[in-house]
Amino acid sequence: MPSTINEYFQLMPFLIIGIGIILSVVIEISSKSSKEILPWFSIILFFATALYSITNISEHAVLFGGMVEVGGKPAIFNFIFNLGAMLVVMSSIGYLKKYGTYFGEYYILIQSSVLGMMVMAGSKDILMIFLGLELMSICFYVLAGINRNKLGANEAAMKYFLLGSFTTGFIVYGIALIYGTTGTTSIQNLIDNFGEYSSNIIFVTGLILFLIGFSFKIAAVPFHMWVPDVYQGSATTVTGLMSTTGKTAAFSVLIIMLTSIFTLNSANIFKPYFSAIAVLSMFFGSIVAISQNNLKRMLAYSSISHAGYMAVGLAAANSYSISGIIFYLAAYAFMNIGAFSVISIIEGENDSRTDINVYAGLNSKNPVLAAFMALFMFALAGIPPMAGFFGKYYVFVGAIESNLTWLAILGVISSMISVYFYLRVIVFMYFKDAEENFEIEVAPYSLSSVVISGVLVLMFGLFPDMLLRLITAVVSL
Amino acid sequence: MKIDLILFFLLAGIAVVTSILVITRRNAIISAVFLVLNFFALAGLYLLLNAQFISVVQIIVYAGAIMVLFLFVLMLLRTDNESPILSDKRPLKYFAILISVFVFVQIAYLLFAGKPSRNITPDEAASINSGTIQAIGKELYTNYIIPFEVAGFLLLAATIGALVLAKKKFE
């Protein structure tokens, strides 16, 4: 059916970013001062989109004959993606100077990857999921290896690319089987006829292949092998983007695909699968992170364990746990971006100074940075009243609601283990003397990125109702 | 015997023979050339099924672009120590056979138990029309306009990414 002009206006978030990408390419080609313009242009784009999404959250609609969904859940995800990307761009301005180069393409690729995430979160058709995923992943592969002079970055990009392509194969194979058994790629059709389809073994095989592919993207054990090397090798700001918004996008797809289970009370046939990856990820991430001395690598393992906590919500699969996951994703995005921004400020040339020893005595050198780092570490550990606590709390309440109390208990044990390595950073910052002397150059934009993340983490922690009310209003849509 | 039946057996025969040749040749380049031939036979089969668009895409994209890329890579790499599948002694071979059988079973299952796309009807005239370039263009620019645009952005991002990674001067 022909689409009306009104439908295009409702696509505003996509239009802003899409037109922004094309304008950025033109600016980069034609303007000599693109170095000054492009970062700010990206920041304005992301901020405008985030603002538009969060204010138009109630305008829920499915457009273009069941292709895209706007408003509702996608609006909240768009808010996380765009605000996260905005903060990452802000800390990139100072960070990229350490490489001594300017990459105009860096900002264009970040914009493209955000467009890909928005397509994923707003898709109502498996075709859209696939296109969005590829758009996001291809940008990430390049961004991971943007500093070609560094061996670690090349390794990260290569590993991410090879394993990511392999996973794409799984996802496409799964999609092919789903299409083969149902004859359609429409997700609405899957939701409506899920009961009928789920008796078909080939359909379930397809869905499992699809879930395996996305388990790789959310970095859950046993599909985590790439995470530590990629997160450590990539540029710090890029890692901040990949580990937060990228993970959020992958979770948004899992939530979309399993909506029928969540809303129509169909039997959750994937409960064993998600319980298994949840337990493995939680414990593997928390235990291995203890022995890490590189902060980026430690946060990579912590990212694995956080994926595990969120997977608890997918195993529980009720509307509590889904709102919990979305809240958790928002909280996790801002505390992790904040932590990575601090790391990117402390980091020296050529990715030196990412070890935990460097943080010894940070409090005496730069009390502001130390205070914010401590805030993010407390939040990641899930200590109240930080945002991280409520994320875990809602997810575990959802698990108990679905009679998965044992999973919630294991989650609590694992997060107690994880407190050790988060607090270790704080101990280094406050109770140890500096081993080496170096100048910390704090770029004003990077610091404002840290401050904004810190304020958001505190705000979500002190007034969790504010965000949670928005989420629960749209979670069943 | 009807002409399309004769053509079918001819093309299917070529497809089967060439695909066997692909896995039994010692020289990887010769295997690749047989694979090109196999793709041409498949394109002919698509044409017999009134899927003109897929047939053309098969020749342009697979036989043209992808296989040329394959041949380039194979010619750049040295592949002397490849042994044909029958004399291969590695245990990996049995794993490969297992996966092939698994995929074959799935395809066979889908062939007999799968549902056709909603756009395909038993009505022959309608199915011919749904395969024309005109019909595909119409679908692409109405129902699938958003995925089409997103694919455009995907290509743009891939081009920019390739430029970043291949830039000669790293300033």
Side-chain angles (χ1 to χ4, degrees):
Chain A
M1 78 205 84
S3 38
T4 60
I5 196 80
N6 201 22
E7 280 186 301
Y8 285 95
F9 278 116
Q10 285 177 290
L11 274 184
M12 195 53 92
F14 296 90
L15 288 183
I16 298 174
I17 297 285
I19 293 170
I21 293 170
I22 293 165
L23 282 180
S24 304
V25 174
V26 174
I27 291 172
E28 172 66 18
I29 293 168
S30 59
S31 170
K32 282 220 159 49
S33 53
S34 62
K35 203 171 179 169
E36 280 79 40
I37 302 174
L38 218 48
W40 290 106
F41 184 64
S42 319
I43 289 173
I44 294 169
L45 274 184
F46 289 138
F47 186 69
T49 317
L51 203 65
Y52 182 91
S53 303
I54 202 76
T55 46
N56 286 279
I57 198 162
S58 54
E59 315 239 319
H60 180 258
V62 176
L63 307 173
F64 293 93
M67 269 300 159
V68 224
E69 189 185 9
V70 290
K73 275 195 296 266
I76 293 195
F77 285 124
N78 286 351
F79 175 73
I80 303 174
F81 300 148
N82 283 285
L83 212 58
M86 186 187 90
L87 296 171
V88 167
V89 169
M90 281 165 91
S91 55
S92 301
I93 298 173
Y95 179 75
L96 287 186
K97 283 196 185 120
K98 286 181 191 160
Y99 285 160
T101 57
Y102 158 74
F103 311 94
E105 297 90 351
Y106 176 88
Y107 298 103
I108 301 173
L109 285 172
I110 287 191
Q111 289 167 11
S112 306
S113 70
V114 169
L115 183 70
M117 295 169 203
M118 286 163 64
V119 169
M120 280 163 88
S123 50
K124 271 293 197 182
D125 195 286
I126 302 179
L127 190 59
M128 292 287 283
I129 293 184
F130 179 65
L131 284 168
L133 176 74
E134 280 307 284
L135 182 50
M136 180 188 84
S137 307
I138 283 179
C139 295
F140 279 171
Y141 303 149
V142 179
L143 283 172
I146 194 126
N147 186 6
R148 286 185 314 178
N149 291 340
K150 212 183 82 187
L151 210 59
N154 286 335
E155 183 202 348
M158 198 66 199
K159 256 187 193 156
Y160 197 17
F161 174 65
L162 287 178
L163 285 172
S165 316
F166 188 62
T167 323
T168 303
F170 271 89
I171 294 172
V172 175
Y173 198 0
I175 292 175
L177 292 181
I178 293 172
Y179 180 68
T181 44
T182 63
T184 171
T185 52
S186 156
I187 291 173
Q188 195 56 48
N189 179 287
L190 293 189
I191 294 172
D192 294 341
N193 305 315
F194 190 82
E196 178 198 336
Y197 293 146
S198 60
S199 58
N200 187 333
I201 181 75
I202 291 281
F203 173 78
V204 176
T205 313
L207 210 50
I208 287 176
L209 283 173
F210 191 89
L211 295 184
I212 287 176
F214 275 93
S215 309
F216 171 90
K217 295 287 172 191
I218 63 171
V221 179
F223 312 103
H224 64 284
M225 284 81 79
W226 58 284
V227 179
D229 291 334
V230 171
Y231 283 14
Q232 192 186 356
S234 312
T236 309
T237 46
V238 175
T239 309
L241 190 75
M242 287 194 297
S243 64
T244 57
T245 52
K247 193 181 287 249
T248 311
F251 264 104
S252 74
V253 169
L254 288 178
I255 292 173
I256 291 169
M257 281 303 278
L258 302 175
T259 319
S260 57
I261 295 176
F262 304 141
T263 51
L264 302 179
N265 294 324
S266 327
N268 185 1
I269 44 175
F270 299 109
K271 194 183 262 184
Y273 175 78
F274 283 120
S275 309
I277 65 166
V279 172
L280 288 173
S281 312
M282 286 188 300
F283 281 95
F284 179 82
S286 308
I287 292 169
V288 179
I290 291 175
S291 60
Q292 301 304 320
N293 275 327
N294 185 303
L295 219 56
K296 273 163 93 175
R297 214 178 170 78
M298 187 204 94
L299 283 178
Y301 283 108
S302 115
S303 152
I304 293 173
S305 73
H306 280 283
Y309 301 128
M310 295 171 199
V312 169
L314 290 177
N318 51 41
S319 56
Y320 290 100
S321 68
I322 296 310
S323 342
I325 294 178
I326 298 176
F327 184 91
Y328 198 156
L329 284 166
Y332 176 71
F334 297 117
M335 55 206 189
N336 220 19
I337 286 176
F340 275 110
S341 294
V342 175
I343 297 176
S344 79
I345 291 173
I346 309 269
E347 205 176 309
E349 269 160 38
N350 276 326
D351 294 78
S352 52
R353 301 211 294 258
T354 49
D355 270 13
I356 195 163
N357 300 330
V358 171
Y359 288 77
L362 187 68
N363 183 43
S364 53
K365 275 185 209 146
N366 194 329
V368 180
L369 274 186
F372 275 105
M373 193 60 173
L375 172 77
F376 298 132
M377 287 299 132
F378 275 129
L380 282 166
I383 290 167
M386 258 44 104
F389 168 75
F390 287 101
K392 278 178 192 159
Y393 174 74
Y394 294 133
V395 169
F396 292 157
V397 166
I400 292 168
E401 202 71 32
S402 291
N403 294 324
L404 281 171
T405 317
W406 62 276
L407 206 52
I409 292 172
L410 285 180
V412 172
I413 294 173
S414 155
S415 52
M416 282 190 307
I417 299 172
S418 72
V419 169
Y420 171 77
F421 57 85
Y422 293 122
L423 289 191
R424 188 158 159 248
V425 178
I426 297 173
V427 168
F428 265 78
M429 288 192 302
Y430 283 92
F431 305 115
K432 289 215 174 173
D433 292 327
E435 287 174 1
E436 49 179 322
N437 263 319
F438 55 88
E439 285 292 301
I440 302 172
E441 223 179 295
V442 186
Y445 325 113
S446 310
L447 187 67
S448 45
S449 153
V450 172
V451 173
I452 295 174
S453 322
V455 169
L456 282 170
V457 168
L458 265 184
M459 210 166 73
F460 290 163
L462 292 173
F463 312 105
D465 253 15
M466 206 169 51
L467 183 65
L468 196 69
R469 206 175 298 139
L470 281 180
I471 295 170
T472 39
V474 295
V475 77
S476 54
L477 282 180
Chain B
M1 211 191 246
K2 276 162 73 183
I3 183 79
D4 51 351
L5 206 61
I6 296 171
L7 276 174
F8 170 77
F9 280 117
L10 189 66
L11 290 166
I14 293 173
V16 170
V17 170
T18 49
S19 53
I20 292 171
L21 286 173
V22 167
I23 56 166
T24 49
R25 291 305 93 186
R26 185 178 290 272
N27 189 330
I29 293 171
I30 293 177
S31 293
V33 174
F34 275 119
L35 195 57
V36 175
L37 204 59
N38 183 23
F39 284 160
F40 272 104
L42 276 184
L45 287 175
Y46 288 140
L47 211 53
L48 285 181
L49 291 169
N50 294 317
Q52 303 97 320
F53 184 75
I54 299 179
S55 159
V56 172
V57 166
Q58 173 83 12
I59 289 176
I60 295 175
V61 177
Y62 281 89
I66 294 180
M67 284 318 293
V68 169
L69 206 68
F70 254 62
L71 279 174
F72 268 121
V73 173
L74 285 176
M75 285 173 179
L76 288 173
L77 295 172
R78 294 175 63 85
T79 50
D80 304 333
N81 50 1
E82 283 302 314
S83 47
I85 185 150
L86 292 177
S87 54
D88 197 337
K89 290 283 182 289
R90 285 173 297 178
L92 202 63
K93 171 180 149 186
Y94 298 101
F95 186 63
I97 291 174
L98 195 73
I99 288 186
S100 309
V101 169
F102 180 64
V103 172
F104 180 77
V105 168
Q106 273 183 335
I107 292 175
Y109 180 92
L110 284 183
L111 215 57
F112 295 109
K115 288 181 191 159
S117 163
R118 299 194 164 184
N119 297 328
I120 297 174
T121 52
D123 178 12
E124 198 176 347
S127 109
I128 290 173
N129 281 333
S130 75
T132 59
I133 293 178
Q134 194 188 11
I136 287 170
K138 198 177 159 221
E139 280 287 311
L140 219 50
Y141 282 97
T142 53
N143 291 338
Y144 291 90
I145 180 73
I146 297 296
F148 183 71
E149 298 289 344
V150 175
F153 276 105
L154 179 58
L155 286 177
L156 178 69
T159 315
I160 294 171
L163 275 175
V164 172
L165 294 179
K167 213 162 34 172
K168 206 166 188 180
K169 206 173 72 186
F170 191 69
E171 9 149 54

